[in-house]
Amino acid sequence: MIAPPSHPSPTARIPFPEVKLPAMQPPADWSPTSWRTKPALQQPTYPNSERLEEVLRELSRLPPLVTSWEIERLKSQLAEAARGERFLLQGGDCAESFDDCTSDSIANKLKILLQMSLVLVHGARRRVIRVGRFAGQYAKPRSEDTETRGEMTLPSYRGDLINRSPYTAADRTPDPALLLRGYERAGLTINFIRSLIEGGFADLHHPEYWDLAWVKHSPHAEEYHRRVAAIRDSLHFLESLRGQQVPEMSRVDYFTSHEALHLLYEQAQTRRVPHRSGWYNLSTHFPWLGMRTAKLGGSHVEYLRGIANPLAVKVGPAVTPETLLTLADLLDPHHEPGKLTLIHRFGQQKIAASLPPLIETVRRTGRTVLWVCDPMHGNTETVANGVKTRRFDHILSELEQAFEIHERLGSYLGGVHFELTGEDVTECIGGARGLTEEDLRRAYRSQVDPRLNYEQALEMALLIARRMGG
Ligand code: PEP
Ligand code: CO
């Protein structure tokens, strides 16, 4: 029997139906802190643990950056992409920097992703899911814990969420306050993105809103504008048939993603929400498991296997078919549609040998996963003076091979993952403008991996669009 409420009110008398929206329950032996019992790679060591605890308490009280509704909407779109009905465009900086949390930098990132997605919609004849590496991509895995210069050894720079890049002991010491700064910067970024979109920034009727200033100088300006004009004509045609505007064309979805690396930070924003079962990481829609932390038995896999968000896994050359199957079983035990994305990043020389056995293995399990190609991270090289770069031709070659391999094996490459920026930087070699090693000196701004600049990114989208048929 249900006891009457002690202070009956008109609404309290009518029992509110318990609406439990679908979301998988986490495994019985999982909790948001169970990762702490496993070996944790790539975590900073904070000298001041009291301050750290204080910051984490504060972070866990602050409101979420995204909602479970948005997360579930993305999951269902990813399920469509896995079935070949949509295409995922995921891109942004290797690492966001707090300094770049400016209106221009954010708007330019939105613009380049919008332009690329428009080209892809036109070429691929599929709806595109736009996911930024933004609003939280502040922590980086490093191959060495420390960096030595001359006589001095200091902790490596691990991203603005953890420490600062100047080479002094004070800057390199992990600072818990940066976790709050990161949360706030992510909040500011996402707030600006949402306002722009709600205000009509992404309206397909007005592609001029998101023309980047330097588009007119681009060697691709003509092809880009031709595709935009074709879309505008189709839209006008459709709207004159309907006699009204197509409202879905006035706004688009943008989702956020980042590498789930700093587990204390992720845990602090892992919550239950009303009316849904399960736990959500509400700091981002789409966390991914980086290659360096995708270890069976490790803390990152442990953390991720319990949350309800869609998950992506970076798959590099060291992943065997057996490991991939175990990872898939742990992260998506119920074969939930849209749950699992596999982002392969082998490098143009290795993809031909490494990818086919993985596709075959996954196929044998009967799983439908979303396959995505990251043609950036396997193609990094170091040139004179230790400068890291990537060659446009290598990036393109890995992508073309990826399309060809999936096609040959009857699979579907459902998305691409790029490191790019809407700025006019010179970090990658090649592209239509033929950037050379010399040019890298001119505008190399990345603190970590080299990004495609605006023109190179647009060119990549145009080439993919042609490859996909249009
Ligand atoms: C990244 O995406 O910035 C990254 C470090 O990738 P990966 O884990 O694939 O090396
Ligand atoms: Co990177």
Side-chain angles (χ1 to χ4, degrees):
M1 245 200 19
I2 301 166
S6 47
H7 300 288
S9 70
T11 47
R13 262 185 232 121
I14 309 162
F16 190 78
E18 182 64 352
V19 190
K20 278 283 178 205
L21 298 171
M24 298 292 169
Q25 284 290 358
D29 59 347
W30 181 91
S31 80
T33 56
S34 57
W35 63 268
R36 292 178 183 226
T37 62
K38 313 277 176 188
L41 296 173
Q42 299 282 347
Q43 303 303 292
T45 311
Y46 290 92
N48 185 342
S49 51
E50 264 168 42
R51 178 71 184 127
L52 175 65
E53 289 306 322
E54 219 174 277
V55 162
L56 292 171
R57 267 196 303 279
E58 187 169 348
L59 261 184
S60 54
R61 284 186 323 111
L62 290 166
L65 298 174
V66 303
T67 66
S68 64
W69 302 95
E70 295 166 337
I71 291 172
E72 290 297 333
R73 187 162 75 240
L74 172 63
K75 205 192 281 172
S76 68
Q77 294 188 11
L78 293 170
E80 291 173 8
R83 295 197 298 266
E85 297 158 13
R86 283 186 187 253
F87 194 75
L88 171 71
L89 171 64
Q90 186 174 23
D93 296 309
C94 180
E96 290 175 281
S97 86
F98 290 178
D99 275 353
D100 274 350
C101 184
T102 63
S103 55
D104 277 355
S105 161
I106 297 167
N108 285 347
K109 257 179 269 185
L110 276 196
K111 286 176 180 179
I112 185 61
L113 285 175
L114 259 174
Q115 294 192 340
M116 291 174 81
S117 67
L118 200 72
V119 164
L120 290 172
V121 166
H122 189 241
R125 308 272 179 229
R126 284 184 187 87
R127 281 176 298 168
V128 170
I129 311 168
R130 297 160 201 84
V131 175
R133 286 175 64 114
F134 54 41
Q137 175 56 14
Y138 294 122
K140 294 309 298 171
R142 302 313 305 250
S143 37
E144 304 294 338
D145 282 345
T146 56
E147 185 182 336
T148 300
R149 292 192 198 170
E151 301 286 283
M152 192 154 73
T153 297
L154 294 177
S156 297
Y157 168 61
R158 291 184 171 276
D160 283 4
L161 192 67
I162 291 147
N163 55 5
R164 300 175 183 86
S165 74
Y167 195 72
T168 71
D171 284 309
R172 290 294 177 90
T173 303
D175 177 359
L178 297 176
L179 296 170
L180 282 171
R181 295 291 87 76
Y183 163 86
E184 289 157 4
R185 287 285 198 275
L188 295 171
T189 304
I190 204 164
N191 176 58
F192 186 44
I193 290 172
R194 287 204 173 104
S195 310
L196 281 173
I197 288 168
E198 289 307 321
F201 177 79
D203 189 339
L204 283 186
H205 302 88
H206 293 285
E208 70 278 6
Y209 290 173
W210 22 279
D211 245 2
L212 283 155
W214 39 87
V215 77
K216 37 184 173 311
H217 309 295
S218 162
H220 310 292
E222 198 191 317
E223 181 174 354
Y224 172 69
H225 283 121
R226 195 165 38 74
R227 287 185 185 269
V228 170
I231 290 179
R232 206 172 23 211
D233 286 352
S234 316
L235 195 57
H236 285 164
F237 177 65
L238 189 67
E239 291 181 341
S240 40
L241 281 185
R242 284 168 53 119
Q244 59 187 38
Q245 282 211 343
V246 183
E248 307 87 75
M249 297 300 154
S250 305
R251 66 177 306 287
V252 296
D253 284 331
Y254 259 99
F255 297 101
T256 65
S257 65
H258 67 243
E259 177 171 349
L261 185 67
H262 192 304
L263 292 175
L264 290 170
Y265 180 80
E266 305 299 331
Q267 181 202 313
Q269 296 176 75
T270 302
R271 317 267 166 90
R272 283 194 182 280
V273 298
H275 310 306
R276 284 189 202 276
S277 47
W279 290 84
Y280 286 83
N281 180 332
L282 297 177
S283 73
T284 187
H285 301 111
F286 193 16
W288 79 79
L289 177 63
M291 188 185 77
R292 287 163 194 77
T293 49
K295 295 270 181 298
L296 295 175
S299 57
H300 290 81
V301 173
E302 174 60 23
Y303 167 73
L304 288 170
R305 82 185 171 103
I307 59 173
N309 304 54
L311 302 173
V313 178
K314 291 289 204 90
V315 179
V319 174
T320 62
E322 297 69 41
T323 312
L324 188 63
L325 283 192
T326 314
L327 270 177
D329 286 342
L330 280 167
L331 298 176
D332 177 26
H334 307 292
H335 296 208
E336 186 187 353
K339 176 75 189 184
L340 190 61
T341 296
L342 299 177
I343 306 177
H344 48 76
R345 32 86 77 230
F346 295 117
Q348 51 113 16
Q349 287 184 327
K350 295 193 177 145
I351 185 172
S354 302
L355 181 58
L358 299 185
I359 296 178
E360 294 292 3
T361 305
V362 171
R363 188 212 310 276
R364 278 197 295 274
T365 65
R367 282 182 180 279
T368 306
V369 301
L370 172 58
W371 289 103
V372 170
C373 176
D374 164 0
M376 310 299 290
H377 285 90
N379 292 309
T380 314
E381 60 185 89
T382 306
V383 291
N385 302 326
V387 177
K388 276 208 280 182
T389 191
R390 291 161 172 157
R391 291 176 197 274
F392 188 92
D393 288 349
H394 291 174
I395 297 169
L396 184 61
S397 161
E398 177 159 2
L399 255 185
E400 282 178 338
Q401 293 180 66
F403 275 109
E404 187 275 317
I405 293 167
H406 280 283
E407 219 165 74
R408 177 159 47 81
L409 299 182
S411 166
Y412 174 64
L413 182 67
V416 284
H417 181 117
F418 288 116
E419 286 187 344
L420 52 77
T421 164
E423 313 293 322
D424 199 8
V425 299
T426 56
E427 297 170 4
C428 291
I429 292 175
R433 205 174 278 279
L435 292 187
T436 62
E437 213 173 304
E438 276 295 287
D439 290 313
L440 300 184
R441 285 199 233 150
R442 192 152 42 83
Y444 196 106
R445 296 220 289 275
S446 175
Q447 300 271 20
V448 268
D449 291 340
R451 303 158 295 176
L452 295 172
N453 66 19
Y454 152 73
E455 275 182 12
Q456 292 167 325
L458 187 59
E459 180 174 3
M460 210 45 94
L462 289 166
L463 293 169
I464 300 170
R466 282 190 216 154
R467 176 69 177 73
M468 293 186 77

